[in-house]
Amino acid sequence: MRPESVAEFATYLSEGERKSVPAGSATPVVAPGPNALRKLWESTDLAAGDFADAVARFYGLPRVSLQHLMAATPLAKRFSPRFLREMTVFPYRAADGSASLAVGDPTDTAGLRAAEIVLDGPVTLTVASFEDIATALTERFDDDDASPAETGETAVLASARAADDIDSLRDLASGAPVVRAVNDLLEKAVELRASDIHVGPFRSGLEIRMRVDGLLRTVPAPAGVLPQALISRIKILAGLDIAERRLPQDGAARLRLGRDEIDARVAIMPTQHGESAVIRLLPKDRGLLSIDKLGLGATDRATLVRLLALPHGMIVVTGPTGSGKTTTLATILSILNEPTRKILTIEDPVEYEIRGIYQSQVKPAIGLTFAAALRAFVRQDPDVIMVGEVRDPETAHIAVHAALTGHLVLTTLHTDTAAAAVPRLLDLGVEGFLLKSTLRAVIAQRLVRQLCDRCKTARPLTTADIDTDPRYAALGFAAGETVYEPCGCERCGGAGYRGRIGVFEILTLSDQIRELIDRQAGSTALDKAAVAAGMTTMLDDGIAKCRSGMTSPAEVLRVTTVR
């Protein structure tokens, strides 16, 4: 393939492909090189299948589906699993007996050349979606992940159990079986798009779970690997003390898995049966931060765009841990990120690295707290300041005064609703007259799982459904309306959901709300006033997403409350 063909294909997509394939949200820009087409796909709004269809048509190659890959005779055992996952290729035997290679990116010819060498002959190139190839590889190698340990490893484990000293544990944690087990866990997490890996010892053995789309999912634990050795390997990666087993420890690591670079935050906690570890994965390349991908409705999106045009004031994003606040703030910062603005952030930790923005991470051990950083920021001549979280009265006071003196301040709070942020700031000691002068809006959000596009089912509601299932009545559905429900397939791992999207409510300060702040009214009165002024609640936003087929009623009720 010619190197410039990647750029030509990007132009091809941006023009709508002229054959009913939807165009990306903007003209994609991509440089030829490793993972070029994957990065191009991540920068568009195309589904994986639609993108693969376009690739097959543009490059004139046969298109194969996941069902075809699963039914074919695999040739994957002759290759390294890591190589196949890094290259995103799947070798198989076609119906006519010839060797074939399913690829997501036909411009990366390294996989084809390697396949021809390993299979000792010509190989036919076909196109499959990146997701289908990853699913097929996961299915084929699951048995290998749970295979027994090699005979040589058993003796090493036995000696480690007998000695159980630090030197033996350090040697075992640095050995190939344990290193391979940890690497396989990390690769599995990347394949599943997991945000966290939970490793914990119990009386019955080691349990490993991964948080996928907000919910934990159990995965097979590495066989024949001592739990202490696995935890010690994780500690070594994070630069922690493997000799300390009595106290919690926190660390960080930058890992390279194939062609992907990942930041990991590691938290170790002593438990009854040994130490447990939680690894939070923060991929360095998360694709483009776009307001289109947040899931804002038309009204809320227009409100947010208007708010970002304000020269100063404070915008607060609220929600529990794991509700997508950091992603929303990073998207806002990417919109505001222009050469004419100086933007400073203080975060814990820095999850999104954005070129052109000065980002700092809190270090309480040396006195670099949110309040200390914010106090220093106002002397750095910034236009926009982002504070990861307002946790104490000192940070709240400095943030409000920074907004009062001509800066646009972005921050987060942990409250259930947008209206509850106002009394929370008052409880932190912010004066009412300052709050109503500086606060511009509060954005509350939750994340709901998106229904899998490949297997979701639509059905009309009947009167019996309304009578027997109170969820539909609670959300205001009536008989005859169409609802979409999860089904489950290979692509979504049988869950019926794949990916998440936000549900939002944006409270802007009207004159009536300012008067309520003066009277120190509660969150209920503020909420009623905001709804009367036209605010769309998170529940209403979720119901709209149900009706459009993006999620299910059960999922909306899982993360929101009926007011």
Side-chain angles (χ1 to χ4, degrees), residues 384-400:
V384 180
I385 296 173
M386 194 273 272
V387 185
E389 183 184 347
V390 172
R391 297 176 177 172
D392 51 71
E394 184 182 10
T395 306
H397 277 93
I398 300 172
V400 167

Side-chain angles (χ1 to χ4, degrees), residues 219-242:
V219 299
V225 175
L226 196 65
Q228 298 98 306
L230 195 71
I231 296 295
S232 295
R233 176 59 186 171
I234 294 171
K235 285 183 175 182
I236 290 171
L237 288 175
L240 301 178
D241 183 5
I242 67 170

Side-chain angles (χ1 to χ4, degrees), residues 209-227:
R209 294 182 291 175
M210 297 183 181
R211 191 173 294 279
V212 181
D213 294 336
L215 297 181
L216 288 173
R217 180 185 301 181
T218 302
V219 299
V225 175
L226 196 65

Side-chain angles (χ1 to χ4, degrees), residues 153-173 226 228-229 245:
E153 297 170 17
T154 306
V156 179
L157 293 176
S159 64
R161 290 189 186 98
D164 196 27
D165 62 353
I166 299 305
D167 291 335
S168 298
L169 198 57
R170 188 187 303 277
D171 292 341
L172 183 57
L226 196 65
Q228 298 98 306
R245 305 178 189 176

Side-chain angles (χ1 to χ4, degrees), residues 115-131:
E116 289 175 339
I117 293 172
V118 173
L119 300 176
D120 193 23
V123 175
T124 302
L125 207 61
T126 60
V127 173
S129 73
F130 293 108
E131 293 179 347

Side-chain angles (χ1 to χ4, degrees), residues 367-384:
L368 182 57
T369 62
F370 284 118
L374 191 52
R375 193 180 296 108
F377 278 178
V378 295
R379 298 191 294 271
Q380 293 288 316
D381 188 30
D383 298 292
V384 180

